[in-house]
Structure formats: structure tokens, C-alpha cells
Amino acid sequence: MKQIIVGFSLLALMGLGVGTLVQENQAHPVSAPEILSPDSAPDHAYGHVVIHTYDERKQPIDIAFDRIPHRVITNQKGSLETIFALGAGQSVVAASVSNKYMDGFDPKYTANAKLPPIIRHEFDRETIVMYEPDFIVGWGSTFSKGALINTTFWRERNIPTYIMASSNRVKKNAEVEDECRFILDMAEIFNQRALGESYVREIRTQIREVCGRAREVGEHPTVMVLQYNTPAYIFNYERQWLVGDMVERLGGELVSGEEHTVNKEEILRCNPEIIFVMCTDERDRSYYEDMVRNDIALNSLDAVHHQRIYGLPFTYVYAPGIRVLDGIRYMADCMYPDLHAAPK
């Protein structure tokens, strides 16, 4: 049996605050919102669409649309890239992306439209009002005190709000199917059902093929998922997190237990053979991998001896939306190097 560990700090990502409005690839502030003309945004009737989502208290609610929204606000990369991947990027008038995740927008998702103005931290209510949105998509933390207050404020003004189920433990047991549901919901809202279904079909097919090949060779690695906030404080991602479900759907077995934190003695006891270290994005994998490789207390681990330590981009596994497909492919390559070419 093999074991996988994952680590990285997301505490800074959860911080709230008003950021500076910047245009992507520009260094100077944007003083006013960039307004899309009616001719450049989808604005036609398409029937009555009802979508199931959550409010800020994590309670189920329904939102309804009688036309495609064309003044959309998004929070974080997962929702923004998903809407772009569905060919509706021109509908987004502004987005907030935490400073650490500003770079690295994948052109295969965002090449079909110009990126909107980007705010480097959480939106505040006054900024959102300035944009006159007709739809807001975000995390649970998007609708909190100091940010957008709550979902009721916006829905009372006939502005639908959508909270991603895998963010901020909105749904207790997050699953890959929650990301599939998010993609299908956005596809329904933006009248791109066939495209959304094709993405979801690709996600499910990828998982099915990996699991099938793994069964053929009899490989079922055991897995731990960790996050290094500091060398002394290691967060443990157990089954209830999306990444835990991804591991299990790919044929792995989580051995992390139910504790939110673990110490190094517990990691040594598990003796992982494969280690994922959570990283900010694809560019800083080696930095977080070295946190494990160079930790003297962990140098007896099989993962260290076999050089099977891999950085795992945070945007692949935390409310990733369309990026869940990248996460599945990457994790499969790491878990089954004999079936896939393991990433360097």
C-alpha cells in the first residue's frame, strides 16, 4: 500500500478585505468599472431556469433566471475560468482573485474573451453595487461580514447569488460531483448545456479510465492529504474535503483519519510512499516539495527515499470548477506513474 501526503497554507486565502482594482496585466488601478455594451453581452430570453445552490448559512436555496445574465461578478479563479470555459467570459464585468492566485490563468479556458478587471482581494459591497451586477458567483466566504455581507441583501434586490458547494465547507462532504454540478449549473445559466455536458463527460471518463487501468495492475495507493501552514502546524485534509474524494475516486485509500491536524510522529507512523504538497500554483511546486524533502524529521519516509513527492496546486482541488479536470489528470499521473508519465 502506498500513501500520499498533501500540504500548503490557505489561511491567507481566507482573509477578507477590500483590494485594489487592477486590470489583468496592468500595474495601475482602474478608477471605474468597465461597462459592457448591450450588444457585447448575451441578453436574450431563454426560458425559465431554476438552479439549486446555498445561502451564506449553508442552507439550500433556489435561484431563477429568465434571461442569460450579462453583468456577472465572480470570486476566485474556479468560477471565473469555468464561465470562460463555457464561452460566456464576455458576461463577466469584474472578478476578485486573491493576490497569490492572480497569475496563471489557463489560456485553454480564458482565451475566448478578454479578462475582466480583477480585484486582488475580496470584493466589498460598495464596489459590487457600482458594477450593477445581475448575478454573483463566489465562495461561502464571499458572502460574509466585511465582504458582501450575506446573500439575502442581494436577492432582495433581484440579484441571484451562487455559492460553490466545495468552498468553506458549505457542503460537509465535498465531491467531484459537486464540481460537475457547478459546471452543469453554469452551463444551464449561460445557455451552454452541450458544452457543459461535454466537460463533465470528460471528467467522469478520465476517472473511470484511470480506475480501470489501476485495477488491472492491482495498484491502490494509500493516501494522506496535508497542508503545511508552518513546519509545526500541519493541516490534514480528510475524506470530507474535495481532494479526499478525488483520491478515492482515483482508486486511492485515505489513511488520514478524521483529525484536522497531524504531527510528524503520525506521519511517520503512516509512512507515506507518495507525497502531494499543496502549493500556490504550478510555478512553486518545488518550494513546497522541498519542505518535505528537507525535513530531517521525515527523512525516513518511503516517499523521500523513492522521490515521490509532488506539489499539488491549490486551484486544482479547492472549489476548482473546470480546473478539477487538471487536478484529476495530475493526481493520476502521480499516483500511477506506470500508467502515466509522472510529472517532473
Side-chain angles (χ1 to χ4, degrees):
M1 300 293 279
K2 305 172 184 176
Q3 302 171 332
I4 302 177
I5 304 181
V6 184
F8 161 62
S9 172
L10 66 86
L11 295 182
L13 182 64
M14 300 306 178
L16 301 178
V18 179
T20 301
L21 186 64
V22 298
Q23 183 74 31
E24 178 69 6
N25 299 324
Q26 288 183 337
H28 59 276
V30 177
S31 58
E34 190 171 277
I35 305 299
L36 292 178
S37 67
D39 293 337
S40 66
D43 196 24
H44 55 279
Y46 67 137
H48 186 69
V49 173
V50 176
I51 301 293
H52 306 300
T53 183
Y54 299 88
D55 64 16
E56 77 285 351
R57 298 168 300 166
K58 305 180 182 181
Q59 298 302 306
I61 62 170
D62 288 343
I63 56 175
F65 301 84
D66 292 312
R67 60 196 284 274
I68 298 175
H70 64 279
R71 298 197 57 77
V72 181
I73 297 291
T74 68
N75 179 224
Q76 303 301 348
K77 289 175 70 171
S79 56
L80 178 63
E81 288 187 318
T82 300
I83 293 173
F84 268 77
L86 292 168
Q90 76 280 0
S91 299
V92 182
V93 295
S96 68
V97 176
S98 295
N99 194 47
K100 285 190 174 187
Y101 306 95
M102 276 291 294
D103 299 322
F105 288 97
D106 194 323
K108 73 174 176 282
Y109 302 131
T110 59
N112 61 9
K114 180 182 177 182
L115 283 170
I118 305 290
I119 285 181
R120 291 183 180 271
H121 296 286
E122 293 282 353
F123 280 117
D124 64 282
R125 185 170 58 178
E126 291 72 21
T127 300
I128 296 297
V129 170
M130 181 175 66
Y131 277 102
E132 300 180 351
D134 56 6
F135 183 36
I136 304 173
V137 188
W139 291 2
S141 59
T142 306
F143 302 93
S144 60
K145 186 177 181 181
L148 301 192
I149 311 301
N150 55 48
T151 58
T152 303
F153 174 87
W154 303 100
R155 288 187 285 112
E156 286 177 346
R157 289 156 179 78
N158 297 316
I159 301 171
T161 59
Y162 188 107
I163 292 180
M164 297 180 73
S166 61
S167 68
N168 305 104
R169 303 298 289 269
V170 170
K171 186 169 177 279
K172 185 176 181 181
N173 294 294
E175 301 175 318
V176 171
E177 283 302 308
D178 295 321
E179 305 312 299
C180 293
R181 182 71 266 160
F182 174 68
I183 294 168
L184 292 174
D185 285 347
M186 295 302 107
E188 185 80 8
I189 290 167
F190 292 100
N191 202 23
Q192 295 287 347
R193 296 171 185 84
L195 184 54
E197 288 169 358
S198 70
Y199 282 127
V200 169
R201 188 161 51 247
E202 188 175 1
I203 291 168
R204 291 169 176 164
T205 298
Q206 183 75 24
I207 292 173
R208 184 169 59 251
E209 291 179 352
V210 169
C211 287
R213 290 195 294 270
R215 281 195 298 270
E216 289 175 4
V217 299
E219 291 192 35
H220 297 284
T222 57
V223 178
M224 288 183 71
V225 181
L226 305 177
Q227 169 183 309
Y228 270 60
N229 292 316
T230 69
Y233 179 71
I234 305 173
F235 188 86
N236 173 45
Y237 284 89
E238 14 77 33
R239 170 60 187 81
Q240 294 181 348
W241 294 88
L242 171 61
V243 67
D245 184 60
M246 293 169 71
V247 166
E248 292 190 343
R249 286 183 181 269
L250 288 171
E253 179 188 351
L254 278 176
V255 293
S256 61
E258 298 300 321
E259 297 299 322
H260 295 319
T261 61
V262 293
N263 57 41
K264 293 177 183 179
E265 288 74 18
E266 291 171 298
I267 297 172
L268 290 169
R269 178 179 54 80
C270 291
N271 190 25
E273 190 171 346
I274 301 173
I275 299 176
F276 284 124
V277 184
M278 284 284 212
C279 55
T280 305
D281 59 31
E282 294 87 344
R283 298 166 303 166
D284 62 1
R285 285 174 179 164
S286 61
Y287 173 83
Y288 289 98
E289 291 168 358
D290 286 344
M291 291 184 69
V292 178
R293 289 194 188 103
N294 300 331
D295 191 332
I296 296 175
L298 299 177
N299 63 10
S300 64
L301 292 173
D302 287 345
V304 175
H305 290 170
H306 298 148
Q307 300 183 33
R308 301 194 66 186
I309 302 170
Y310 308 104
L312 178 62
F314 182 74
T315 51
Y316 285 2
V317 297
Y318 191 88
I322 194 70
R323 280 289 189 107
V324 74
L325 184 57
D326 298 322
I328 288 167
R329 288 170 173 161
Y330 178 74
M331 292 173 69
D333 287 345
C334 295
M335 293 169 69
Y336 306 107
D338 294 334
L339 305 180
H340 299 265
K344 302 299 183 183

